[in-house]
Amino acid sequence: MKTLDYPLEMKDVEPEMAKKLMEYFTGEHTGFVRVGPKGYFLPHQFRQEAAKIYNMEIRPTDVFVCSYPRSGTTWTQELVWMVANDLDYATSDAVPLTNRYPFLEFSVYVHPVMKKRFQEENKNSAEKLQLLEWVSQPGTEQLAQMKERRFVKTHLPLSLLPPNLLQAKVVYVARDPRDVVVSFYHLNKSMRTQGYIGDFKTYWDFFRQDLHHWTPYFEHLKESWEMRHHPNMLFLFYEELSKDLPAAVRRVADFFGKQYSEEQISRLCDHLSIESFKTNKSVNYDVMKVIGIMVAETDGFIRRGKAGGWRDYFDEEMSSQAEQWIAHNLRDTDLRFPHF
């Protein structure tokens, strides 16, 4: 396969700003980059993986689940995998979601300083060291070794992924950014690869000012929204999964050319319920707790699964900021978030 030159410019985030951010995000030790004309914000290590990701082989049988983080990604991954694999509950229960879906760019978030720390903490367990090597291996390498149908998780926007991505099936899921930022705040506190130690209001400021991982948020969504009519793109909203999960299941089934009975759909919806998810070890990223990347005493990877929960966190000033920020960013698009 011909290797393409990486077409996007990468600029280091200004040293003073990077230093300030690393005081809050203690898992990063080198700095950050902005990528492409939209300035996507990523760890400095992305420089090493950018071209490999852009040039990775796309197989027509591949399935990508893409999203901005905390938009219902895990929920969508399990839904998509179950539908595409003929409701194979036995494999779903036996094989963790992390094994079924390599996380394409996760390795760029495991800084060498942190990896060394995790290796030291796990040095007395060969099994844990092996797990650590596996989760920190570049996703492109994991995927190249796979012979079976590949399911891929990524939080990268379309413009940072291979230009022929839509030769594969792509499911994109989006969520109200106010709920996203609340959920991502909790995850960033629990994941030592980010290690956020500030308060929520400061976190919100970083997020809306595009000084946070995978931002700018709205540009991320718009890239996929603009491709939503492509036959290999399915665009979902977290809110529609929350409001009418059976309808969302049918949309996914149609996308993959599958037909299921009402009884089968009902059972799958039970399997996908937040209550079931919270106790399902296969989808709870337990491997991250086992090797110490996720702080063990936190609530876990699956939280409340509540649409509109942001109201418990935003004060009047933040709510006003959010309304203006959302309106400003949606002014040139027909993208709108469903509300109850």
Side-chain angles (χ1 to χ4, degrees):
M1 189 177 78
K2 184 181 178 183
T3 300
L4 302 172
D5 291 334
Y6 195 67
L8 302 174
E9 183 181 10
M10 271 188 271
K11 297 179 181 177
D12 287 347
V13 170
E14 304 77 11
E16 282 303 309
M17 177 55 71
K19 182 180 178 183
K20 177 183 177 182
L21 289 166
M22 287 187 285
E23 289 172 358
Y24 285 94
F25 295 93
T26 60
E28 180 53 53
H29 295 262
T30 304
F32 308 91
V33 292
R34 290 197 178 279
V35 186
K38 296 171 184 173
Y40 285 110
F41 186 99
L42 292 153
H44 193 267
Q45 283 200 123
F46 187 69
R47 286 185 175 276
Q48 300 167 23
E49 296 300 319
K52 297 176 190 175
I53 290 171
Y54 192 79
N55 281 288
M56 70 176 281
E57 174 199 13
I58 297 296
R59 303 173 189 171
T61 54
D62 287 344
V63 177
F64 281 73
V65 171
C66 307
S67 69
Y68 189 85
R70 309 310 283 175
S71 297
T73 321
T74 306
W75 207 7
T76 305
Q77 284 177 261
E78 183 70 355
L79 163 54
V80 164
W81 192 93
M82 289 295 291
V83 166
N85 286 282
D86 301 318
L87 309 181
D88 184 356
Y89 290 97
T91 301
S92 168
D93 290 344
V95 182
L97 199 64
T98 45
N99 293 61
R100 288 181 273 140
Y101 277 86
F103 187 169
L104 183 57
E105 70 273 19
F106 184 70
S107 64
V108 306
Y109 285 86
V110 186
H111 192 279
V113 169
M114 297 305 293
K115 184 172 180 180
K116 190 173 181 181
R117 194 171 296 171
F118 299 141
Q119 287 171 330
E120 179 63 24
E121 292 170 2
N122 291 293
K123 65 183 179 182
N124 295 323
S125 170
E127 182 183 1
K128 289 182 181 180
L129 287 174
Q130 188 177 10
L131 280 173
L132 176 61
E133 285 304 312
W134 176 74
V135 301
S136 59
Q137 180 186 20
T140 51
E141 294 178 13
Q142 293 181 19
L143 289 162
Q145 297 164 11
M146 293 175 70
K147 301 289 191 287
E148 68 275 17
R149 187 178 194 182
R150 305 185 307 183
F151 290 77
V152 187
K153 168 187 173 178
T154 183
H155 294 313
L156 293 174
L158 294 190
S159 59
L160 304 193
L161 292 166
N164 63 337
L165 178 71
L166 285 170
Q167 290 179 8
K169 291 279 193 185
V170 178
V171 179
Y172 189 96
V173 60
R175 187 183 190 185
D176 186 310
R178 293 165 292 193
D179 280 328
V180 164
V181 74
V182 169
S183 184
F184 208 14
Y185 163 69
H186 285 285
L187 185 68
N188 274 216
K189 288 203 303 179
S190 67
M191 292 288 283
R192 294 167 66 199
T193 45
Q194 275 85 46
Y196 182 72
I197 58 172
D199 60 18
F200 177 67
K201 199 161 192 173
T202 304
Y203 188 89
W204 160 245
D205 286 338
F206 289 145
F207 179 73
R208 68 187 176 89
Q209 292 169 18
D210 302 333
L211 290 168
H212 190 31
H213 308 292
W214 292 284
T215 59
Y217 174 80
F218 282 101
E219 293 301 329
H220 197 299
L221 270 61
K222 287 175 190 177
E223 288 191 17
S224 289
W225 180 251
E226 288 165 8
M227 299 302 295
R228 69 191 183 281
H229 298 305
H230 190 287
N232 278 346
M233 167 68 81
L234 177 64
F235 195 104
L236 297 171
F237 285 101
Y238 181 95
E239 290 78 8
E240 68 179 295
L241 272 71
S242 293
K243 186 175 183 179
D244 192 345
L245 185 55
V249 169
R250 291 185 196 98
R251 281 193 68 197
V252 173
D254 287 346
F255 183 63
F256 285 98
K258 303 282 185 176
Q259 286 192 320
Y260 295 114
S261 68
E262 290 303 307
E263 186 179 346
Q264 288 174 314
I265 291 173
S266 179
R267 184 187 173 193
L268 179 56
C269 289
D270 286 341
H271 173 75
L272 293 168
S273 71
I274 293 299
E275 291 73 23
S276 295
F277 248 42
K278 283 187 174 181
T279 58
N280 185 344
K281 289 188 176 182
S282 181
V283 301
N284 256 293
Y285 283 62
D286 281 15
V287 63
M288 297 299 183
K289 289 186 178 180
V290 168
I291 58 181
I293 289 179
M294 180 181 272
V295 180
E297 62 267 20
T298 56
D299 291 339
F301 197 79
I302 307 299
R303 288 186 64 250
R304 294 163 63 188
K306 178 183 175 184
W310 62 268
R311 292 179 179 85
D312 298 335
Y313 288 81
F314 279 62
D315 60 24
E316 192 173 326
E317 179 191 21
M318 295 162 73
S319 295
S320 176
Q321 288 172 343
E323 284 182 20
Q324 293 175 35
W325 177 66
I326 292 170
H328 174 75
N329 281 283
L330 294 182
R331 72 193 186 286
D332 60 349
T333 177
D334 58 354
L335 170 65
R336 296 294 182 270
F337 297 98
H339 293 290
F340 295 103

